[in-house]
Amino acid sequence: MPNQYNRPITDEDYQRIAELHALGMGRNAIAREIGRAQRTVSVIAAELGLTFDTSMTEDATRARIAQLAALRADTALDLHLDALKLTQSMWEPAKVFNFGGKDNTFASREVEEPPAADKKALMTAAGIALEKSLKLVPPSDDAGAEDARSMLGQLMRGLKAAYEEAGGEEAEGESP
């Protein structure tokens, strides 16, 4: 294959690009066919007023973006679960150990829950996992808050109506 970078562009290149484009070939396929750089084919096609169908590329890009979003969501879930395991392990039996002495001996024993320093490390690790999870998939702004306010408002109106219906009198041991 001739060197695609050092050959001058010829009228034959223009004609061949126009022919291959008319056959429905894409830019990359034309570049391979005529031994030219993709950029060269794009420039010549633009000069000829030709465009390439990018719908397949756009569809592939949308699909890849969706795949990445799903992977981020999966990873965020895994990080949340890791944080849950780490915080739960703060209150579970653990084994503490030590290397020491002049003979560098190993000693271990079971304890009801990890020592405070280990709990601190577990909580730090859980916090980091949650922080990273929230960066991957931030919570939607104010998600469900308006629904909750609406539900609480309805509940309060209902309680007020029931109170007023009862004559506004407090039952013994109750308050409005």
Side-chain angles (χ1 to χ4, degrees):
M1 176 180 280
N3 184 336
Q4 63 186 16
Y5 299 107
N6 294 330
R7 288 184 297 133
I9 297 172
T10 65
D11 289 338
E12 183 182 330
D13 291 324
Y14 279 84
Q15 181 181 6
R16 191 76 176 122
I17 288 171
E19 289 171 2
L20 296 173
H21 182 273
L23 294 174
M25 288 180 72
R27 182 198 66 173
N28 294 352
I30 293 172
R32 282 189 299 272
E33 179 72 23
I34 68 170
R36 290 288 185 179
Q38 297 162 349
R39 174 78 178 133
T40 302
V41 173
S42 293
V43 169
I44 293 172
E47 289 176 10
L48 294 173
L50 305 174
T51 59
F52 293 100
D53 180 16
T54 59
S55 61
M56 285 179 28
T57 302
E58 292 166 356
D59 291 344
T61 299
R62 276 192 294 280
R64 185 67 180 141
I65 289 169
Q67 287 174 336
L68 290 172
L71 284 172
R72 280 193 306 276
D74 288 346
T75 302
L77 177 61
D78 288 345
L79 287 167
H80 263 78
L81 294 173
D82 290 344
L84 179 63
K85 288 177 191 174
L86 288 165
T87 55
Q88 286 175 341
S89 67
M90 291 186 347
W91 310 109
E92 295 175 351
K95 181 183 280 194
V96 293
F97 60 91
N98 185 343
F99 288 97
K102 67 177 184 164
D103 297 327
N104 200 25
T105 57
F106 174 78
S108 68
R109 67 182 167 103
E110 296 288 327
V111 292
E112 289 187 28
E113 58 187 49
D118 292 346
K119 285 184 179 184
K120 180 181 177 185
L122 289 166
M123 188 56 78
T124 299
I128 291 169
L130 287 173
E131 178 185 327
K132 299 301 180 189
S133 170
L134 292 171
K135 283 188 179 189
L136 285 170
V137 182
S140 56
D141 293 338
D142 212 17
E146 185 57 40
D147 290 341
R149 280 191 291 273
S150 174
M151 181 183 69
L152 289 172
Q154 289 174 357
L155 181 61
M156 290 303 294
R157 283 190 296 277
L159 290 171
K160 183 178 178 186
Y163 174 75
E164 290 171 354
E165 191 176 289
E169 296 179 17
E170 294 179 24
E172 189 173 322
E174 295 181 7
S175 61

Coordinates of all heavy atoms in Angstrom, one line a residue, residues 2 4 17 57 64 96 105 109 114 121 127 142 155:
P2 N 0.6 2.2 -0.9 CA 1.4 3.4 -0.9 C 1.3 4.2 0.4 O 0.3 4.1 1.1 CB 0.9 4.2 -2.1 CG -0.3 3.4 -2.6 CD -0.4 2.2 -1.8
Q4 N 0.2 6.9 2.7 CA -1.0 7.7 2.6 C -0.7 9.2 3.0 O -1.5 10.0 2.8 CB -2.1 7.2 3.5 CG -1.7 7.1 5.0 CD -2.8 6.4 5.8 OE1 -3.6 5.8 5.2 NE2 -2.7 6.6 7.1
I17 N -13.2 8.9 -4.4 CA -14.0 9.2 -3.2 C -15.5 9.4 -3.5 O -16.4 8.9 -2.9 CB -13.4 10.4 -2.4 CG1 -12.1 9.9 -1.8 CG2 -14.4 10.9 -1.3 CD1 -11.3 11.1 -1.2
T57 N -22.8 5.6 14.3 CA -21.9 6.1 15.3 C -22.6 6.7 16.5 O -22.3 6.4 17.6 CB -20.9 7.1 14.7 OG1 -20.2 6.5 13.6 CG2 -19.9 7.6 15.7
R64 N -23.1 3.0 24.3 CA -21.9 3.0 25.2 C -22.1 3.9 26.4 O -21.8 3.5 27.5 CB -20.7 3.5 24.4 CG -19.4 3.3 25.2 CD -19.1 1.9 25.4 NE -17.8 1.8 26.2 CZ -17.6 0.9 27.2 NH1 -18.6 0.0 27.5 NH2 -16.5 0.9 27.8
V96 N -8.1 -10.1 67.2 CA -7.1 -9.1 67.3 C -5.8 -9.9 67.4 O -5.7 -11.0 67.9 CB -7.2 -8.1 68.5 CG1 -8.4 -7.3 68.3 CG2 -7.3 -8.9 69.8
T105 N 7.1 -12.9 68.1 CA 6.1 -13.9 68.2 C 4.7 -13.4 67.8 O 4.4 -12.2 68.0 CB 6.0 -14.5 69.6 OG1 5.8 -13.5 70.5 CG2 7.3 -15.2 70.0
R109 N -6.3 -13.2 69.7 CA -7.4 -13.6 70.6 C -8.7 -13.1 70.0 O -8.7 -12.1 69.3 CB -7.2 -13.2 72.0 CG -7.2 -11.7 72.3 CD -7.0 -11.4 73.7 NE -6.7 -10.0 73.9 CZ -7.6 -9.1 74.4 NH1 -8.8 -9.5 74.7 NH2 -7.3 -7.9 74.5
P114 N -14.4 -5.2 67.6 CA -13.1 -4.6 67.3 C -12.8 -3.5 68.3 O -13.7 -2.8 68.8 CB -13.2 -4.1 65.9 CG -14.4 -4.8 65.3 CD -15.3 -5.1 66.4
A121 N -11.1 2.9 61.8 CA -10.6 2.6 60.5 C -11.8 2.0 59.6 O -11.9 2.3 58.4 CB -9.5 1.6 60.5
G127 N -17.0 5.4 55.1 CA -17.3 6.7 54.6 C -16.7 7.0 53.2 O -17.4 7.6 52.4
D142 N -33.6 16.7 45.6 CA -34.9 16.8 46.3 C -35.8 15.7 45.9 O -37.0 15.8 45.9 CB -35.5 18.2 46.0 CG -36.4 18.6 47.2 OD1 -36.2 18.1 48.3 OD2 -37.2 19.5 47.0
L155 N -51.7 14.6 56.2 CA -51.9 13.9 57.5 C -52.2 14.9 58.5 O -53.1 14.8 59.3 CB -50.6 13.2 57.8 CG -50.6 12.4 59.1 CD1 -51.7 11.3 59.1 CD2 -49.2 11.7 59.4

